[in-house]
Amino acid sequence: MKLSAREADGAMVVRVEESRIDAAVAIQFKDAMREMTQAARGRVVLDLARVGFIDSSGLGAIVSVLKFLAPDRRLELAALGPNVERVFRLTRMNEVFRILPESPGALAKDDG
Amino acid sequence: MPAPTDTGTRLDLRFEAEPFAVRRALCRTVATFAGRIGEAAAGALELALAEVLNNIVIHAYGGDGGSISLSIEFRADALHCRICDAGRAIPGGAPPSVGPDTDPAGQPALREGGWGWQILRKLAEDLTYERAGGENRLTFRIATMG
């Protein structure tokens, strides 16, 4: 499971670089997130802009990340497409997570 | 895998009860119907099927593999889905009723699983389950309008 991390707006922003978080990769996603967020302090934003599909296994993995980051670190979600938003809405997990329309810093001009 | 038949309005697939085979079947299904039913209905179809198929992989076959057959027919503003497997019957002989999705304080229950049937019941219409001839047979419809 390929993830990338950067800092923006005082948060660690972790972008999922794959198109699906489904039953085939849910455990790898959880393990990769655990490793990626070891150094995180404070907010962690999961950027789902590149993810087109999440099933309940993937959703469960995201909830488990929320749990293992708590209580010191908070997991937020960003850039949900319509298919991803649907699974959060149907399970009411959209009421549990703070969901940002855009990934932090995603609209910023490139300074380099 | 035998060659699937695919006439555009109907798709019949048979595949192994294994997560990556399920993923391929879902992608094939979406590719077949998305242009006809729109992105929203295709997304609902993919999610509903994923929950059924994951349940078969994990519960009916217990992770040991087996065969799944999937038929989808597009007619009369709905996708008519039928999924068969030769795994264990659903306990109680019926899809589980879905418990409350809130905790006693009225907040959404923060769990890591058990959403499969809840999602399916919210997306699917006329869900039926039958155990016959050593097979589980599940049918439902996904509306493509409204």
Side-chain angles (χ1 to χ4, degrees), chain B residues 29-50:
Chain B
T29 299
V30 169
T32 301
F33 292 102
R36 297 166 187 276
I37 62 177
E39 294 295 327
L45 174 68
E46 181 173 20
L47 183 56
L49 289 175

Side-chain angles (χ1 to χ4, degrees), chain A residues 1-3 15-25 29 47-55 58 62 79 81 83-84, chain B residues 20 23 27 46:
Chain A
M1 169 59 68
K2 193 159 179 244
L3 307 173
R15 186 168 63 193
V16 180
E17 302 287 358
E18 296 184 26
S19 63
R20 302 173 75 88
I21 308 175
D22 61 12
V25 297
F29 167 78
D47 178 346
L48 294 169
R50 298 192 173 180
V51 178
F53 181 76
I54 295 179
D55 65 10
I62 293 172
N83 281 343
V84 171
Chain B
F20 285 98
R23 180 191 276 191
C27 291
E46 181 173 20

Side-chain angles (χ1 to χ4, degrees), chain A residues 18 20-25 28 30 52-57 59-61 63-64 66-67 83 86-87 89-93 95-97, chain B residues 19-20 23 26-27 39-44 46-47 50-51 54 58 101-102 106-113 115-116 118-119 122-123:
Chain A
E18 296 184 26
R20 302 173 75 88
I21 308 175
D22 61 12
V25 297
Q28 292 93 317
K30 191 161 53 172
F53 181 76
I54 295 179
D55 65 10
S56 67
S57 306
L59 180 66
V63 170
S64 77
L66 173 82
K67 287 182 176 176
N83 281 343
R86 178 184 294 110
V87 72
R89 179 168 35 83
L90 291 175
T91 57
R92 297 186 60 195
M93 287 299 106
E95 300 170 32
V96 168
F97 288 89
Chain B
F20 285 98
R23 180 191 276 191
L26 292 172
C27 291
E39 294 295 327
E46 181 173 20
L47 183 56
E51 299 307 332
N54 291 344
I58 296 164
D101 58 5
T102 53
Q107 295 301 306
L110 194 60
R111 57 192 185 196
E112 294 172 34
W115 282 303
Q118 178 186 347
I119 291 170
K122 287 182 178 177
L123 293 172

